[in-house]
Amino acid sequence: TWTLHPTHNPLIHMIDETNAKGTWTIIQPLTAKDSQTNKTEPKWIFAQYEDVYKKVHGVWKIHRCLVKINKAFNHLAAWE
C-alpha cells in the first residue's frame, strides 16, 4: 500500500502559554486493499486532524491526535 499525507489549512487556538488545540484538513490519496475483492485499489480520504498540543520544557509537542474521516471512496468511483 501507498499513501501521501498532506495537511492543509491549520487552525491553531492558543488556550494558554503551554496548551493549544489545532485542526488540520487532510485530502489524502492512497492505495489500500479492498475488503471484498482483496485487490489493491486507489482511494481518497477527506478528513480532519483534531490535535491537542502541550509545551514541554519550551518545546511544543503533540499531546493527542484524533483523525475524523469525513469521506473515503474509491478513486475511480469518485469521478462517476
Side-chain angles (χ1 to χ4, degrees), residues 35-69:
S35 61
Q36 295 177 350
T37 66
N38 207 32
K39 287 183 170 182
T40 299
E41 297 181 348
K43 299 184 182 285
W44 287 93
I45 291 176
F46 291 83
Q48 274 84 36
Y49 279 137
E50 291 185 359
D51 295 339
V52 174
Y53 309 105
K54 293 195 178 281
K55 197 172 191 179
V56 180
H57 303 295
V59 178
W60 284 100
K61 306 276 187 174
I62 297 173
H63 178 70
R64 185 188 76 217
C65 179
L66 175 67
V67 179
K68 290 190 173 181
I69 297 176

Side-chain angles (χ1 to χ4, degrees), residues 2 7 9 17 19 28 34 36 48 53 62 79:
W2 171 90
T7 56
N9 302 347
E17 291 182 13
N19 295 282
Q28 181 177 2
D34 184 276
Q36 295 177 350
Q48 274 84 36
Y53 309 105
I62 297 173
W79 311 117

Side-chain angles (χ1 to χ4, degrees), residues 7-13 21-25 49 53:
T7 56
H8 311 277
N9 302 347
L11 300 173
I12 308 297
H13 173 70
K21 291 183 177 183
T23 302
W24 298 74
T25 300
Y49 279 137
Y53 309 105

